[in-house]
Amino acid sequence: MHVFEPHGEYSLEIDDCIIKLFATGAANKETIDAYVREVRSLVDSFAGAPFAMYSVYDQNVILTPEAEAVLALSIAERAEKGLCACALDLNNSTSRLIVSAQMDRLYKNAGVPWRTVNSYEESKPWLEARIEEARKAKGKN
C-alpha cells in the first residue's frame, strides 16, 4: 500500500453563514480528507442552521476519482446538516467543463442547488436568499 503526500491546497473562511473555500492544484484523497475534516468542524459550529458555500478554484483544480468519492459523501453529510446552496467560481480553471461536470454530479446527487459565478460579490445575494428560504422552510416544520 502506498501513502501519498497531499496534493493541492485550500483555505477556508467564514462570512456569516457562508463558508468560503479557496482551492489550488489537483486534489487527491489525502487533501480532500483533510478538507472534509476541517469543513465538518465548521458545519458543526452552525448547529443545524442553514448555510451555504462559495468556492474558488484555480486553473489546476481537478478531483481524482478517489477524491470525488470522498467529497460526494461529505456533500451529502453537509446537506443533511443544513447546506442549502453552493456557488462556484471557475473563472481561472483550465478544466472548467470537467470540474463543472464533477460538481454538477456531486451537488445534484445531494439535492443541493448550485451555480457557477464570476465573483463572491455576485454570488452573495443568491446564497443569502437560499439561506433565508431554508430558514423560513425550517421554521414551518
Side-chain angles (χ1 to χ4, degrees):
M1 178 176 176
H2 295 285
V3 177
F4 296 98
E5 291 295 317
H7 293 153
E9 295 180 9
Y10 68 90
S11 65
L12 295 166
E13 296 176 7
I14 297 279
D15 180 9
D16 192 25
C17 292
I18 300 172
I19 298 173
K20 296 165 66 175
L21 164 68
F22 303 90
T24 61
N28 64 5
K29 183 180 179 302
E30 290 72 20
T31 301
I32 295 295
D33 284 343
Y35 163 75
V36 164
R37 284 189 302 272
E38 194 169 342
V39 168
R40 184 177 290 135
S41 176
L42 294 174
V43 169
D44 288 346
S45 74
F46 292 129
F51 68 95
M53 293 198 69
Y54 167 76
S55 301
V56 179
Y57 292 170
D58 82 347
Q59 68 273 12
N60 298 314
V61 169
I62 193 164
L63 300 172
T64 64
E66 297 82 11
E68 187 175 344
V70 171
L71 195 54
L73 294 174
S74 175
I75 290 171
E77 177 184 297
R78 282 183 251 157
E80 290 175 5
K81 292 183 175 186
L83 177 63
C84 60
C86 183
L88 190 59
D89 181 341
L90 297 175
N91 285 321
N92 296 320
S93 175
T94 55
S95 303
R96 191 177 179 128
L97 292 176
I98 293 169
V99 174
S100 183
Q102 287 177 316
M103 294 299 115
D104 188 58
R105 277 192 304 275
L106 294 171
Y107 286 108
K108 278 188 177 174
N109 286 342
V112 176
W114 77 283
R115 63 173 45 176
T116 57
V117 295
N118 294 313
S119 68
Y120 183 63
E121 293 71 25
E122 174 190 318
S123 71
K124 190 173 179 181
W126 183 78
L127 292 171
E128 289 175 333
R130 302 297 75 73
I131 292 168
E132 187 56 33
E133 287 171 4
R135 284 180 180 149
K136 287 178 181 174
K138 192 172 183 176
K140 291 179 181 177
N141 294 337

